[in-house]
Amino acid sequence: MYAIRNTFNSFLFLFILLSSLSFGLWGCGDGDSSDAASVTTPVTASEVESGDLVVSLTDAAGDYSTYTVDVLSLTLTRANGEVVSVLPLSTSIDFAQYTEMTEFLTVATVPSGTYVSATMTLDYESADIRVEDETGAILQVASVQDEEGAPVSTLEITVQLEGRSRLTIAPGIPVHLMLDFDLQASNHVDFANPAAPALTVEPFLVADVDFTNVNKSHRIRGLLDNVDIDGGSFSVILRPFYCSLADTHKLFGDRSVITTDETLFNIDNVSYEGNDGLAAMDGLDSLAPVVAIGELKFDPLRFEATEVYAGSSVPGANLDVISGWVTERSGDTLTVKGASLVRRGNRFSFNDQVTLLIGDETVVTRQTGSDTYDKYDISIGQHITAFGNMTMSDTDPQTVMLDASSGYVRMMLTTVRGTVNSVDETDQLAQLDIDLQSIGKFQADLFDFTGTGTETENDADPEYYEIFTGTMDLSDIYEDAPVKLKGFVEPFGAAPADFSAYTLIDDTDIKTFLKISWDPATETPFTEISAESLVLNLEGVGRLHQLVRGHVVSDLLDLPEAPTVIPDEGGEGFYTLNHDGTAEVYSDFEGFTDAVEEFIGEGYLARRCNIVGQFDDATSTLTAEVITIGLCIPEE
């Protein structure tokens, strides 16, 4: 056990998945440029050789419609104290877009050696952060503050690189470092003043080195460098996130993309597959915009593309583009919610709602395939990217219309979440019936399903949302189980079924984030404390009392019994007690529970507890990898 003093003014949560250090403070009261891979403490080539480091960014799922901030810098600290900068330019990032995807940020050549920490600096001065309230309305955050209420302008988030996340750079051996900025764990929005929500930032950063079990696709964005048809690959000059596609400098480095016979291409809005697509890529002008989506492979480290978009198929190339979820349809007029707007020249903005016009000449395609569709295939809930001509109201910049009647609409894989009502593997239309909680980033009751059915009585019903699962094995799916599915909404006017699933994920198998607070702070946060387990006390809970798995939220008060928290196999984990401006970190569960009893015996109260692990619905047991408890002394 050891204690770390919190030297930041802001409240911080930092942890490395399975190898972490968390610290923080709780009280009882309610486009600048720099040199790529520059070294703050100079190191010359003669002193040490260099190696290649690939850095990517992602985000855990949250309820933010947009969380756009500037990343000012990203530095790595070597074991000898030398600091290396690996971000060549500050860049604007919408972290809310990366709950289902990881973006390649930079490829840097850095001095060889062992690195013990990574530090990311965020700038909130011009941040655009919008979040759903309880009614589903999207509100812009009016102020950003730390846990003590002090305004936040910039934040440094540092994560230790130890254990499995140990970062060692050696010549000729490329390494992938993934940083995960967890919005849900890092931020809390106070709606006490509905017209001016206040955001409290508690940065929660995860780092992983060459982590192969990320259930997310990876994205590379940039400019076409060259094509190697014989080698089945092409290279991209990285221009991540919203970096200008007109800038051809290689500040972020370049990355090779491997293609296969199954790789799907969409080039200038024409579909290809395999070698035909690569040949079409070879015919593009040098520095044509490219987006590649695929999987990161290891041994050796490489990126294999499943989908490639190039030329005018890339947002920000030569048409205006919106991306969001269809919430309503009347004839050929669609309402798109949570819309990211990319204007010609790659100017980015966000709108809560956009009107989309389509027509008989609209070219409709679908992600994961090369077939073409028609305008009636676009139905309620479908995640889309639409290309056309955008107009904005002269009096209200939030009133936006995109005319894609002579443009393109790409139907994207759409994520739905809910709990299972029933399973019928013999049904030829819909084998899975769920109580729909959300589609994409939005709760189900924001969608108007009028017109989705063959008859009015067949319109999609979110309480009984019917899903066609084909030949998927549903034997492990049971009533009331939380599930997440990816696929496509059935055509408008064709339900039932309401949705065709390509992938079904049992959310009981993914990471659970438990949040609980007590108001007022309590001397009995657990009804039972032992060397083997903790049983949460649900009496006197405050605003927080949720289990979150993906976007599926379960209320702790609705569980048949209070959760029992147990350690992972072997009793080892990362357990933190925050008190008096100090974080005490334990790796042994028994030592941690002894300390909890000792502090409570000395008069400390528990205000809040966060736990990361896996939850078993059948036994109401949470196997914890990370536990953080905030303790405070009662106010006089």
Side-chain angles (χ1 to χ4, degrees), residues 303-588:
F303 176 76
E304 291 187 2
T306 55
E307 303 169 61
V308 176
Y309 302 92
S312 60
S313 298
V314 174
N318 55 15
L319 286 174
D320 298 323
V321 177
I322 66 168
S323 182
W325 287 261
V326 178
T327 58
E328 186 176 350
R329 177 168 180 169
S330 176
D332 289 346
T333 302
L334 284 64
T335 300
V336 179
K337 192 170 182 63
S340 300
L341 316 182
V342 184
R343 303 300 303 271
R344 294 178 181 88
N346 204 54
R347 290 172 292 160
F348 171 82
S349 62
F350 175 86
N351 266 54
D352 175 20
Q353 190 166 287
V354 170
T355 298
L356 172 65
L357 301 181
I358 59 175
D360 293 336
E361 296 182 10
T362 303
V363 177
V364 181
T365 59
R366 197 160 81 172
Q367 186 183 10
T368 74
S370 56
D371 294 338
T372 57
Y373 298 82
D374 63 37
K375 63 181 182 179
Y376 297 106
D377 286 288
I378 307 170
S379 192
I380 308 304
Q382 182 61 53
H383 185 198
I384 63 166
T385 298
F387 297 71
N389 297 307
M390 191 181 301
T391 57
M392 295 186 176
S393 168
D394 294 333
T395 58
D396 181 8
Q398 293 300 308
T399 301
V400 179
M401 182 181 72
L402 184 82
D403 186 348
S405 56
S406 297
Y408 312 92
V409 174
R410 184 182 305 144
M411 297 185 293
M412 311 299 291
L413 278 169
T414 302
T415 301
V416 298
R417 300 172 177 86
T419 54
V420 175
N421 291 325
S422 63
V423 180
D424 183 356
E425 295 191 70
T426 65
D427 193 331
Q428 298 302 306
L429 290 178
Q431 299 103 321
L432 197 60
D433 182 322
I434 70 171
D435 183 354
L436 185 66
Q437 287 195 6
S438 66
I439 301 178
K441 294 188 284 188
F442 302 105
Q443 58 192 50
D445 58 10
L446 295 180
F447 296 83
D448 182 353
F449 295 101
T450 302
T452 55
T454 54
E455 304 288 347
T456 301
E457 57 269 23
N458 289 335
D459 285 350
D461 180 352
E463 294 185 2
Y464 301 95
Y465 199 67
E466 300 179 70
I467 297 173
F468 176 71
T469 58
T471 58
M472 293 180 186
D473 181 5
L474 303 179
S475 59
D476 292 332
I477 305 301
Y478 51 89
E479 187 175 336
D480 294 327
V483 290
K484 177 171 70 175
L485 305 104
K486 291 184 178 182
F488 298 94
V489 179
E490 286 293 300
F492 192 68
D498 305 316
F499 188 87
S500 287
Y502 274 37
T503 305
L504 185 152
I505 301 171
D506 180 356
D507 270 5
T508 57
D509 292 334
I510 69 171
K511 284 288 185 294
T512 296
F513 190 85
L514 182 148
K515 302 178 179 183
I516 185 170
S517 60
W518 294 272
D519 188 11
T522 180
E523 62 181 6
T524 56
F526 306 103
T527 57
E528 296 178 22
I529 302 178
S530 71
E532 293 79 29
S533 65
L534 298 168
V535 179
L536 288 169
N537 184 2
L538 301 183
E539 296 291 331
V541 294
R543 175 183 53 83
L544 302 175
H545 43 87
Q546 293 87 26
L547 280 173
V548 183
R549 288 168 281 189
H551 270 222
V552 179
V553 180
S554 303
D555 192 326
L556 296 178
L557 300 178
D558 291 337
L559 299 178
E561 56 184 312
T564 297
V565 182
I566 62 174
D568 209 347
E569 186 176 354
E572 293 186 355
F574 297 90
Y575 315 119
T576 305
L577 291 175
N578 293 297
H579 63 91
D580 304 314
T582 300
E584 295 190 7
V585 182
Y586 301 78
S587 60
D588 175 65

Side-chain angles (χ1 to χ4, degrees), residues 88-338:
L89 294 172
S90 64
T91 183
S92 182
I93 298 174
D94 181 5
F95 283 99
Q97 291 196 28
Y98 293 93
T99 60
E100 302 280 347
M101 183 178 293
T102 296
E103 176 93 356
F104 281 87
L105 175 61
T106 185
V107 177
T109 299
V110 300
S112 297
T114 298
Y115 290 80
V116 297
S117 66
T119 299
M120 186 165 63
T121 304
L122 303 179
D123 182 4
Y124 283 85
E125 287 288 351
S126 57
D128 184 5
I129 301 172
R130 308 189 197 195
V131 65
E132 287 183 65
D133 66 9
E134 291 182 352
T135 69
I138 297 177
L139 302 177
Q140 187 160 18
V141 167
S143 62
V144 182
Q145 61 192 29
D146 64 22
E147 182 69 7
E148 296 184 322
V152 169
S153 56
T154 61
L155 278 180
E156 275 193 355
I157 315 172
T158 299
V159 62
Q160 305 300 312
L161 302 174
E162 301 172 351
R164 192 184 71 183
S165 294
R166 184 181 182 89
L167 177 61
T168 301
I169 303 296
I173 304 176
V175 177
H176 176 235
L177 172 66
M178 186 184 74
L179 299 176
D180 184 342
F181 179 40
D182 192 327
L183 295 185
Q184 192 173 84
S186 300
N187 299 266
H188 160 60
V189 180
D190 185 353
F191 291 101
N193 180 357
L199 177 75
T200 299
V201 185
E202 318 169 24
F204 192 89
L205 188 67
V206 180
D208 245 305
V209 175
D210 290 351
F211 186 41
T212 59
N213 294 322
V214 179
N215 188 32
K216 296 184 179 183
S217 57
H218 292 69
R219 187 181 93 146
I220 287 178
R221 176 182 181 273
L223 303 171
L224 182 63
D225 192 10
N226 60 69
V227 178
D228 180 1
I229 294 180
D230 292 336
S233 67
F234 60 91
S235 62
V236 178
I237 301 170
L238 293 182
R239 305 299 300 160
F241 304 107
Y242 307 125
C243 289
S244 173
L245 293 171
D247 186 346
T248 61
H249 293 97
K250 292 188 177 183
L251 293 175
F252 291 91
D254 53 60
R255 186 74 182 153
S256 177
V257 177
I258 306 299
T259 65
T260 69
D261 292 341
E262 288 76 39
T263 301
L264 299 174
F265 293 80
N266 192 297
I267 302 170
D268 292 331
N269 289 293
V270 178
S271 296
Y272 304 89
E273 189 170 351
N275 288 335
D276 291 341
L278 201 59
M281 290 280 288
D282 195 36
L284 289 172
D285 293 337
S286 179
L287 305 180
V290 177
V291 169
I293 298 171
E295 299 177 353
L296 197 63
K297 303 286 188 178
F298 297 88
D299 300 324
L301 181 65
R302 63 198 186 279
F303 176 76
E304 291 187 2
T306 55
E307 303 169 61
V308 176
Y309 302 92
S312 60
S313 298
V314 174
N318 55 15
L319 286 174
D320 298 323
V321 177
I322 66 168
S323 182
W325 287 261
V326 178
T327 58
E328 186 176 350
R329 177 168 180 169
S330 176
D332 289 346
T333 302
L334 284 64
T335 300
V336 179
K337 192 170 182 63

